Amino acid sequence: MTVIENSAIEEIIYKYKLDNGLTVYIMPKPGYTRQFAIYATNYGSNDIKFLDGKHREPVEVPCGIAHFLEHKLFEEQGGSIFERFSALGAQANAFTNFNMTAYLFSSTHKFYDCLNLLLDFVNRPYFTDENVEKEKGIIAQEIRMYEDNPAWRVYFNLLGALYKNHPVKNDIAGTLESITGITKEQLYLCYETFYHPDNMAIFITGDIDREQVIKTVKRSFADKDMPRRGDVKRIYPDEPADVAQPLVKQQLAVATPMFYIGFKDSDIGMSGNKLIKKDIVTGLLLNMLIGKSSDTYQSLYEDGLINATFEKDYTGEINYGFSLMGGESQQPLKVQDRIMEAINKYKQSGLNINDLDRVKRKMLGDFLMSLNRIDGIASAYIAAAFKDINLLDYPKVLDDVKISDVEERLRQHFDEKYCAISIIEPKK
Amino acid sequence: MDISTYDYRLDNGIDLHVISTRKFKTIHFNIFFHRALNKDTATLNALLPRVMKRGCQGFRDTIQIERFLEDIYGADFDADVLKKGERQIIGFRLDIVHPKYTGDDALIDKGLSFLNDIISKPLTIDEGFNQDYVEQEKQNLKDLIEGLINDKAQYAVERCIQEMCKGEPFATYVYGSTDALPGINVNNLYEYYKDVVASSPVDIFILGDVEPDAIRDKAEAIFNWPRGTVKRIPKEIIKKTVTEPKEVVERMDVLQGKLSLGLRTNTAPDDTAYPILMLYASILGGGPHSKLFLNVREKASLAYYAYARLEKYKGLMIISSGIEIENYKKALDIMLEQLDEMKRGIISSQELDFSKKALTTSLHSIMDSPQQLTDYYLSNAIVKKHSTIDQLIESINATQMDQVIEIAQRINLDTIYFLANKAMKGVEKI
């Protein structure tokens, strides 16, 4: 057991590594009414080609299979897992993103029963030809819903413009075509490859008894034989540094055009401290360039080129990353020009140290505020841990950033050749 | 960890509610101005906070405000309008990090004084607001109102309500209408502002690790705006008999159809039967244990989502789902069948039990969220009913099956709304 503590912010996390490889994080939150647990595998929609550790040849599976698998784990012989959580009064859910699939519940009583159920159902798949077929109708409607959703489309169209080969350009749920062919054999194959405890972690938080939690987790695995697997290797195609296409447009039933400007990260292939630092530096930089307190944001807003929907964000994963900024605008291309202009100006003039100090205080505040939400912190912590990041290091890493770090990142990342824009136009 | 609430009335008649708890790392200030909802003033109520948050006498432009907020450790500030039943609430919100994590003991005072500046010292010239801010925010509000179509699920629910409540104040959209915008100028908006500050019922909420009496003294000293006669908000008309349900099909360029059903529950939020209605809605469509989820999604595979939710203050219930357009009739039939089962008392003891548990958990969970806690106590202030979360849970758990069946008899389908596309044929009348 390792103790991960940040006394300045009054948070402590206990980390355990079980014999079968599972990592367990326990974060006591005295006074909280809810208990929350999230059990996740380091496996997401990007993992469609891999060596499974048994066969010599790589396996390729349909897009959307990780998400399909997530839906299907909620089924068991003769019933649904939802029903068993309902009987305990807990709210269960799950989500799949590019890199992770997570199963979670929130309870206010019978916590240890819920925890046991969570581990039990995720560790016990039950797929039949019939229940796989039935799910296709439900997921088809989920995909349809996203196809009509302009906020979703503008995002995925941007990824399609930034990436030529990398699977991050694919929709997480797949397409109507790709899910049609999914079979129970493929689901079992993916399950066996990626749902081994040594590829998984569980994060538990709330006003809980640490000893009892760890006892419950260990007991759940006691009767399960989980031999070490062969080495699993994920295979990602080669991806050029430049964007696939600089502009992509789609027409949908919207009132005002929507847009995202993206910058593809060419400085990739890192994890741990290097990755969290890059994440924070890029976040600071985005705030300084185009945050609400920047001259560029205010002048775009006053000229009516952007409105309150404007946002910016950086996504930093081990093998890919991108910055994006956007919202609604009558003239997205003009916004892009103005932002490029500002970037080039800052590259000449350098950044202001007072701005950096102020934006650091803002990001520290944002981080502290995020600690109020136990479900949010659990998901964020586990996602970071899969990248060898300890999220409680955030304040320290933030504090250590120097103006030269930010300026270097500005020159390296915000370059025209890494930039693409995605626009959703109103349908005439 | 305990949550204690303290209610005060300030010298100028404003109600201050202090929710004292040590479990969060933050302090939350909310100031609510209540206005009656009607189509004449709805757009003014929506525009006003948008203009006010752009600048004030202490912070003359938006960039100064933003830099101030960042300086005080990324304080989260917003001003917007809410719709709760037939009232619009103009809300000013400021969330700050608790001073003990930043070493800046003046954070609370800075926050209070900032909110007071925004509310009571707006930027004005000759009895009017700043021209640029008003024009820019009129355009932004226009985009926001028109942007309702962007989210098809939300659009379908809103349109269902508009059709159902035609002629009632509740049909008014929370952000008003674009038609009203050309008539608003810097002067009449400022006139209206003065009325809002002087005559609205006001509730202030302060939540976090604060000392109640001390914070009351600070609030009283700073929020000392002169007030006039306070206008009462009329109560909603809840009861309505429906002779024949209305059916509306609208077409847009969409792939997925959105089906929304509007129902009258004939039950007001201060009705002693309201907890029973909550239970009814949970059994019908309040999560994975509900009839709608099990029958529309799990059994028939027609939808990804299907739920029922209450519009508490107006006594409405909305059912909503996204389906393949050709499955309109099929999905509608299943929904109507579930409503009919509720009326005929075809409810298992398991359904009742699971719903009680689900409601208990979600009500308990309110206590872990500063926003939800504030909203719960705001709701109490509106309904003038002072039940704690635990009392509400108790009444839900004391409910018997026959009471649920009894309340089911009050609930009537009013409007069926379907958002379809141009390719859809033969559903004009079912």
Side-chain angles (χ1 to χ4, degrees):
Chain A
M1 195 264 290
T2 329
V3 181
I4 303 164
E5 190 174 9
N6 186 333
S7 50
I9 57 171
E10 297 176 350
E11 297 293 354
I12 190 162
I13 293 171
Y14 300 90
K15 178 183 176 182
Y16 298 78
K17 189 93 179 165
L18 303 193
D19 292 341
N20 62 22
L22 182 75
T23 314
V24 184
Y25 300 97
I26 302 174
M27 183 186 206
K29 277 281 201 181
Y32 271 73
T33 313
R34 272 193 321 160
Q35 307 91 30
F36 184 84
I38 177 167
Y39 184 28
T41 165
N42 185 0
Y43 162 63
S45 65
N46 282 349
D47 303 308
I48 46 176
K49 192 173 177 187
F50 48 86
L51 284 162
D52 67 353
K54 284 189 210 151
H55 305 85
R56 296 175 67 124
E57 292 302 308
V59 183
E60 224 174 323
V61 288
C63 286
I65 196 161
H67 170 260
F68 202 108
L69 182 49
E70 172 228 300
H71 271 238
K72 277 337 290 172
L73 273 187
F74 278 91
E75 201 135 4
E76 63 177 347
Q77 201 157 7
S80 143
I81 298 301
F82 281 126
E83 191 177 315
R84 298 219 273 149
F85 275 107
S86 296
L88 295 167
Q91 293 162 345
N93 212 336
F95 65 84
T96 306
N97 63 29
F98 295 117
N99 304 294
M100 161 171 137
T101 312
Y103 302 83
L104 49 99
F105 73 83
S106 136
S107 62
T108 53
H109 55 293
K110 305 233 170 168
F111 167 71
Y112 299 98
D113 291 340
C114 292
L115 179 59
N116 201 39
L117 176 55
L118 175 72
L119 290 160
D120 184 61
F121 94 83
V122 177
N123 290 337
R124 196 161 37 77
Y126 175 69
F127 312 137
T128 65
D129 291 329
E130 200 193 1
N131 75 25
V132 169
E133 262 337 286
K134 190 210 81 178
E135 205 66 26
K136 288 177 184 171
I138 296 169
I139 295 177
Q141 287 315 311
E142 189 178 356
I143 292 171
R144 283 286 210 203
M145 178 177 84
Y146 289 129
E147 284 175 336
D148 273 338
N149 182 331
W152 189 262
R153 286 312 331 150
V154 70
Y155 181 79
F156 277 90
N157 291 353
L158 176 72
L159 293 180
L162 291 177
Y163 291 92
K164 199 161 180 276
N165 305 316
H166 195 284
V168 69
K169 69 182 186 161
N170 301 321
D171 273 17
I172 290 162
T175 62
L176 293 184
E177 295 73 41
S178 76
I179 64 158
T180 310
I182 288 176
T183 63
K184 72 166 194 289
E185 288 74 19
Q186 289 171 327
L187 292 174
Y188 275 117
L189 172 78
C190 291
Y191 182 86
E192 279 155 19
T193 309
F194 294 107
Y195 279 69
H196 191 279
D198 67 11
N199 193 46
M200 301 180 76
I202 184 165
F203 192 106
I204 295 139
T205 178
D207 198 343
I208 40 165
D209 181 290
R210 184 158 56 90
E211 289 306 318
Q212 204 180 335
V213 169
I214 200 72
K215 218 187 283 166
T216 308
V217 176
K218 281 185 178 160
R219 203 186 310 123
S220 170
F221 283 97
D223 59 343
K224 289 187 180 74
D225 181 28
M226 292 182 161
R228 287 264 177 219
R229 308 160 305 161
D231 274 349
V232 172
K233 192 172 178 303
R234 301 143 207 262
I235 301 166
Y236 300 113
D238 286 335
E239 176 65 36
D242 297 2
V243 300
Q245 59 184 106
L247 169 67
V248 57
K249 286 185 185 182
Q250 186 186 352
Q251 294 196 336
L252 282 173
V254 294
T256 311
M258 289 179 170
F259 73 103
Y260 271 132
I261 298 161
F263 288 86
K264 180 173 171 178
D265 201 347
S266 62
D267 183 24
I268 51 171
M270 63 190 81
S271 58
N273 280 339
K274 276 188 174 166
L275 184 55
I276 188 176
K277 183 172 176 192
K278 181 177 76 165
D279 198 298
I280 288 172
V281 167
T282 315
L284 288 164
L285 182 53
L286 280 169
N287 274 298
M288 292 169 82
L289 286 177
I290 193 68
K292 282 185 175 172
S293 68
S294 69
D295 295 328
T296 311
Y297 178 97
Q298 288 302 329
S299 77
L300 287 168
Y301 190 98
E302 277 167 23
D303 294 344
L305 287 168
I306 59 171
N307 60 28
T309 59
F310 189 87
E311 56 182 356
K312 78 270 179 246
D313 187 37
Y314 173 69
T315 297
E317 297 296 334
I318 293 171
N319 58 40
Y320 68 95
F322 52 89
S323 293
L324 62 78
M325 44 193 92
E328 293 172 2
S329 176
Q330 293 295 346
Q331 299 181 70
L333 292 172
K334 200 160 176 188
V335 177
Q336 187 184 23
D337 284 347
R338 294 264 293 261
I339 290 175
M340 279 318 301
E341 252 171 56
I343 287 170
N344 290 327
K345 196 196 86 192
Y346 284 120
K347 280 182 183 171
Q348 298 283 323
S349 68
L351 295 161
N352 181 327
I353 185 87
N354 294 331
D355 288 344
L356 177 64
D357 288 343
R358 194 187 60 244
V359 165
K360 274 188 180 180
R361 279 199 293 280
K362 171 193 157 51
M363 282 179 52
L364 176 63
D366 290 351
F367 177 74
L368 288 166
M369 286 195 190
S370 76
L371 295 169
N372 275 348
R373 278 192 46 224
I374 59 169
D375 49 346
I377 195 72
S379 308
Y381 195 92
I382 217 166
F386 283 145
K387 298 180 268 190
D388 290 325
I389 290 171
N390 165 23
L391 212 53
L392 294 192
D393 289 342
Y394 190 100
K396 170 88 176 81
V397 180
L398 176 67
D399 193 46
D400 287 346
V401 172
K402 293 187 278 296
I403 189 96
S404 56
D405 298 325
V406 189
E407 285 180 338
E408 191 189 321
R409 181 68 170 154
L410 169 68
R411 281 189 293 275
Q412 182 272 323
H413 180 42
F414 289 100
D415 191 300
E416 210 134 353
K417 64 174 181 285
Y418 304 139
C419 181
I421 183 167
S422 158
I423 302 173
I424 301 290
E425 294 176 329
K427 215 159 197 171
K428 308 240 157 48
Chain B
M1 222 168 280
D2 280 350
I3 297 173
S4 319
T5 58
Y6 304 83
D7 293 333
Y8 303 97
R9 173 140 307 166
L10 303 186
D11 283 346
N12 56 359
I14 287 173
D15 288 321
L16 170 70
H17 315 269
V18 179
I19 304 165
S20 168
T21 168
R22 299 188 59 188
K23 75 173 153 188
F24 306 115
K25 290 189 156 57
T26 42
I27 301 174
H28 303 257
F29 306 97
N30 279 277
I31 303 182
F32 298 112
F33 293 80
H34 301 253
R35 308 295 291 177
L37 175 71
N38 60 62
K39 66 178 193 312
D40 298 331
T41 54
T43 318
L44 286 166
N45 288 329
L47 184 62
L48 187 58
R50 290 182 160 66
V51 171
M52 288 170 72
K53 73 178 168 188
R54 292 293 305 278
C56 57
Q57 288 166 30
F59 303 89
R60 299 192 69 84
D61 56 27
T62 319
I63 209 158
Q64 283 190 40
I65 291 179
E66 296 300 341
R67 290 185 178 171
F68 163 74
L69 294 169
E70 289 183 351
D71 258 329
I72 58 165
Y73 296 88
D76 203 358
F77 164 63
D78 202 11
D80 204 345
V81 68
L82 310 165
K83 173 177 166 182
K84 289 196 184 279
E86 288 172 352
R87 72 172 67 200
Q88 254 177 318
I89 300 175
I90 301 172
F92 298 85
R93 175 178 64 80
L94 184 74
D95 306 337
I96 62 169
V97 173
H98 196 283
K100 70 179 161 193
Y101 300 105
T102 62
D104 182 353
D105 289 335
L107 276 182
I108 292 177
D109 291 344
K110 285 180 187 170
L112 288 171
S113 140
F114 167 74
L115 277 174
N116 184 56
D117 270 16
I118 290 281
I119 291 168
S120 69
K121 297 174 189 160
L123 214 49
T124 52
I125 313 160
D126 302 334
E127 291 292 296
F129 280 115
N130 176 306
Q131 178 83 31
D132 289 345
Y133 291 167
V134 171
E135 287 314 314
Q136 286 159 15
E137 294 311 323
K138 275 168 74 174
Q139 181 60 43
N140 288 339
L141 183 57
K142 180 170 177 281
D143 290 344
L144 182 65
I145 295 168
E146 289 173 347
L148 175 62
I149 66 161
N150 295 355
D151 182 337
K152 309 296 178 280
Q154 199 202 335
Y155 176 80
V157 167
E158 187 63 32
R159 286 284 301 117
C160 178
I161 288 171
Q162 287 173 2
E163 291 290 338
M164 170 163 54
C165 298
K166 243 179 212 169
E168 298 172 73
F170 197 67
T172 311
Y173 185 43
V174 58
Y175 300 125
S177 77
T178 54
D179 303 344
L181 284 168
I184 302 178
N185 59 45
V186 294
N187 301 109
N188 60 21
L189 187 65
Y190 184 61
E191 254 333 281
Y192 187 72
Y193 154 81
K194 289 194 283 190
D195 186 52
V196 167
V197 175
S199 75
S200 309
V202 178
D203 285 291
I204 299 179
F205 289 85
I206 300 176
L207 182 151
D209 185 6
V210 290
E211 210 283 291
D213 286 340
I215 201 88
R216 186 207 76 97
D217 293 347
K218 277 181 199 279
E220 188 157 71
I222 202 153
F223 300 128
N224 58 353
W225 324 310
R227 306 257 296 154
T229 313
V230 174
K231 289 179 192 159
R232 277 190 57 247
I233 311 287
K235 260 197 165 184
E236 293 84 355
I237 295 169
I238 305 279
K239 298 229 155 94
K240 195 173 176 219
T241 35
V242 190
T243 40
E244 176 88 19
K246 222 188 288 185
E247 191 174 338
V248 181
V249 176
E250 187 176 331
R251 286 156 201 282
M252 203 189 277
D253 212 328
V254 291
L255 293 166
Q256 187 181 60
K258 298 282 194 279
L259 179 53
S260 293
L261 272 50
L263 301 100
R264 304 273 178 179
T265 70
N266 295 304
T267 306
D270 56 356
D271 192 318
T272 48
Y274 190 78
I276 306 169
L277 180 65
M278 289 173 73
L279 205 43
Y280 170 98
S282 181
I283 296 168
L284 178 68
H289 61 279
S290 70
K291 285 183 183 287
L292 288 172
F293 185 91
L294 288 173
N295 289 287
V296 181
R297 172 174 153 142
E298 294 297 299
K299 281 203 189 120
S301 294
L302 290 179
Y304 172 63
Y305 71 91
Y307 67 82
R309 67 163 178 81
L310 294 171
E311 199 338 295
K312 178 173 177 175
Y313 306 94
K314 181 64 183 170
L316 307 178
M317 185 172 67
I318 306 292
I319 293 174
S320 181
S321 184
I323 54 170
E324 205 61 36
I325 287 163
E326 63 192 33
N327 288 333
Y328 173 51
K329 178 90 175 71
K330 227 193 259 178
L332 179 59
D333 282 349
I334 296 174
M335 288 176 183
L336 296 177
E337 204 181 301
Q338 308 316 307
L339 285 166
D340 191 53
E341 282 195 3
M342 296 293 295
K343 262 204 171 108
R344 290 191 291 138
I346 307 177
I347 302 166
S348 68
S349 53
Q350 179 175 301
E351 285 173 315
L352 183 69
D353 175 48
F354 285 9
S355 299
K356 283 181 177 176
K357 287 175 172 161
L359 285 174
T360 303
T361 301
S362 51
L363 286 166
H364 268 142
S365 304
I366 291 175
M367 298 186 214
D368 287 348
S369 158
Q371 289 76 22
Q372 287 187 49
L373 267 173
T374 301
D375 194 65
Y376 182 83
Y377 288 107
L378 171 64
S379 166
N380 271 352
I382 292 173
V383 181
K384 298 198 173 15
K385 213 177 156 184
H386 294 275
S387 61
T388 64
I389 292 171
D390 284 328
Q391 285 164 340
L392 180 57
I393 290 172
E394 212 173 290
S395 355
I396 284 165
N397 284 313
T399 301
Q400 304 293 316
M401 183 71 91
D402 53 351
Q403 293 175 290
V404 178
I405 301 167
E406 201 181 303
I407 209 149
Q409 311 311 316
R410 296 189 191 178
I411 297 169
N412 297 317
L413 178 63
D414 184 306
T415 299
I416 300 163
Y417 172 90
F418 190 49
L419 180 65
N421 62 21
K422 295 182 176 82
M424 182 190 178
K425 289 192 196 95
V427 290
E428 254 62 39
K429 271 282 158 238
I430 304 255

